[in-house]
Amino acid sequence: MQPNPVPDPMIDGLALAVPAPGHNLPPAAFTSRDVFEVEQRAIFAKSWIHVCDLRDVPAPGSFMTAQIGRSPIIILRDRAGELRGFLNACRHRGAQLLDGSGTCDKQIKCPYHAWSYGLDGKLLGVPYRDEFDCNFDELRLVPVRVGVVGPMIFACIDPTAPAFETWVGGLAAYGTALEAMDFAWEKTYELEANWKIFVENANDGYHVQFVHDVLTDALVPDTDVTTLEPHSAYTFANINPAYLPPDKDPADAKIRFGHIFPNLIPVISPGDFTYIRVDPIAHDRLRLFVRSYDTPEAADFRELRKAAFEHTTKQDIAVVLRTMRGLYAEGLPAGVLASELEI
Ligand code: FES
Ligand SMILES: [Fe+2]
C-alpha cells in the first residue's frame, strides 16, 4: 500500500506546492503577509545571503550589521584581521548589540546591562558576576558562517546548510578577477513589490526585447545560453561588437547574468561587475542594493555604464510594479511560464 503523500503546506489558505512545469506560483504567494513570514524562516534563514563587501570591513575592529530573514547579524574583523560572523544578540537577555556599521575598539559592549565580548565572541565582562548561577564560558556570541567570493561577503545562520563553495558554484572561478576590480558606484532603490517578482524578472529573458532598448542593443540576439547549478542560474550572451574596444575579440566578450538563490543578481562583463541584492522588507516592499566594480581600463566608461544601468533598471522597476499591481486581482489564476526564456 502506498503511504499517503505529504500534504502541501497550507499558508494563508494557500496550498503551496512546487508549481507544475510551465506554471508559476499562485498570485497570493506574492501578496500574502503569512507567506512572506514563512519565507524568512524557510528560505532566507537556510541560505547563504550576501551581507556586505570586503570594503565595508577593511581593518581590525571594523564591523557591519545586517539581517538574514528576521535574524540580526554582525560581520566583523577581529584583532588578527580575520572575518567573523555572529548573531547580533546578547547572551544575557538578547538585546541587539551593534547598530549600522563602524569600528569597535577591542570589545563589543551591550548597551543594556553592559556585558562585554571580545572580537572573537568570548564573553569578557559581566557586572555583578556573583549574582549569576551559570557557566560563563558557554555564553559566547553565537557564531554565524561566513564566506567570501570576489569582493562579496556572504553569511549563513544555518549550520546544516550546504558548504559555501557549493552554494556559489561557478562564481568562485571569477573570484580573483572580481576582487581585483575597483569600487565604482553604489545605489539603493525601494519599491512596493514582493521580492520574488524582482528576482523572477531578473531571470526572465523573455521581456528583454520588449522592455529594454539599450540592453537589447548591447547584446547579440539569440546568443544567450543558460546554465543551471544547484543554487544558481546563469545566462551568457555575446556583447554587440559595436560596444567593444577594437582589440577585444567579440567571440570572448560575453556578459554573464546570474542569480544566486535566493536574492542576489550578479552581472559580470569583461571590464566590470555589478550586483543587485534584492532585500525582502515586507510582503509588498523590497529594497535593491546595487554595487558596481570595474577595471582601470573600463573606468573611462563608468558614467556611461551607470547611466545605462539606471535606464534599464527603471524599465525593470516599471514592469515589476505593474506585475505587483496585477497580482492583487481577486480570482486571477497562477501564471504560465515559457520553457527556456523564463527559467
Ligand atoms: S541584554 Fe545584554 S547585558 Fe543584558
Ligand atoms: Fe529586465
Side-chain angles (χ1 to χ4, degrees):
M1 191 177 142
Q2 292 286 323
N4 286 334
V6 178
D8 299 327
M10 291 293 289
I11 306 167
D12 203 5
L14 283 174
L16 276 185
V18 175
H23 288 75
N24 204 347
L25 290 164
F30 299 90
T31 59
S32 158
R33 282 189 175 82
D34 290 353
V35 170
F36 179 84
E37 289 302 326
V38 171
E39 287 169 347
Q40 301 312 299
R41 297 192 301 274
I43 295 178
F44 285 86
K46 295 187 179 307
S47 301
W48 282 92
I49 302 293
H50 170 264
V51 286
C52 61
D53 289 355
L54 293 171
R55 67 190 307 275
D56 297 312
V57 280
S62 306
F63 73 87
M64 183 82 178
T65 61
Q67 195 164 313
I68 295 182
R70 290 287 184 199
S71 299
I73 69 154
I74 304 166
I75 299 291
L76 61 75
R77 264 189 209 281
D78 67 17
R79 296 177 70 185
E82 292 296 314
L83 281 175
R84 289 178 182 262
F86 302 106
L87 292 183
N88 189 4
C90 182
R91 292 300 307 271
H92 175 217
R93 296 244 305 266
Q96 182 179 314
L97 293 164
L98 294 173
D99 305 306
S101 60
T103 305
C104 28
D105 190 12
K106 291 177 184 151
Q107 296 183 354
I108 299 169
K109 192 176 202 181
C110 180
Y112 200 171
H113 311 91
W115 283 28
S116 57
Y117 302 87
L119 302 190
D120 59 358
K122 191 170 175 216
L123 178 62
L124 299 177
V126 176
Y128 301 96
R129 185 177 279 254
D130 294 346
E131 289 211 15
F132 291 88
D133 178 18
C134 60
N135 181 355
F136 286 113
D137 289 341
E138 292 175 353
L139 300 183
R140 304 173 66 91
L141 294 182
V142 177
V144 164
R145 300 163 77 189
V146 175
V148 175
V149 62
M152 299 182 291
I153 302 174
F154 290 68
C156 178
I157 59 174
D158 180 359
T160 68
F164 178 64
E165 294 71 23
T166 305
W167 200 275
V168 296
L171 188 68
Y174 294 79
T176 306
L178 300 184
E179 195 181 342
M181 291 185 184
D182 301 314
F183 171 75
W185 53 270
E186 69 182 35
K187 200 169 168 66
T188 56
Y189 299 83
E190 283 211 21
L191 49 147
E192 290 179 2
N194 183 270
W195 68 278
K196 298 190 295 299
I197 301 177
F198 199 95
V199 170
E200 286 194 340
N201 178 68
N203 280 319
D204 163 8
Y206 193 18
H207 76 283
V208 173
Q209 62 180 301
F210 308 115
V211 172
H212 298 306
D213 45 4
V214 172
L215 183 58
T216 301
D217 193 43
L219 302 176
V220 181
D222 300 324
T223 56
D224 48 306
V225 176
T226 297
T227 59
L228 295 177
E229 298 179 5
H231 305 283
S232 328
Y234 291 99
T235 298
F236 300 81
N238 284 71
I239 299 173
N240 181 346
Y243 285 74
L244 294 172
D247 59 334
K248 194 88 196 162
D249 180 354
D252 294 339
K254 293 184 187 297
I255 190 163
R256 186 182 199 265
F257 300 97
H259 171 219
I260 300 182
F261 186 83
N263 66 331
L264 190 74
I265 300 157
V267 181
I268 303 171
S269 51
D272 69 287
F273 164 54
T274 302
Y275 66 74
I276 305 173
R277 190 185 67 217
V278 185
D279 292 333
I281 307 297
H283 65 290
D284 58 354
R285 189 152 199 89
L286 65 84
R287 179 176 50 235
L288 304 179
F289 179 71
V290 186
R291 262 199 188 150
S292 190
Y293 293 83
D294 58 23
T295 61
E297 301 77 51
D300 288 349
F301 302 99
R302 188 178 280 176
E303 288 308 314
L304 198 64
R305 279 199 314 275
K306 185 176 179 215
F309 175 89
E310 289 170 344
H311 178 77
T312 300
T313 301
K314 194 171 163 192
Q315 294 168 330
D316 279 324
I317 287 174
V319 290
V320 164
L321 291 174
R322 181 174 288 279
T323 304
M324 186 72 190
R325 291 196 299 272
L327 288 173
Y328 277 112
E330 292 287 345
L332 181 72
V336 293
L337 298 171
S339 61
E340 293 282 327
L341 285 165
E342 292 181 288
I343 287 179

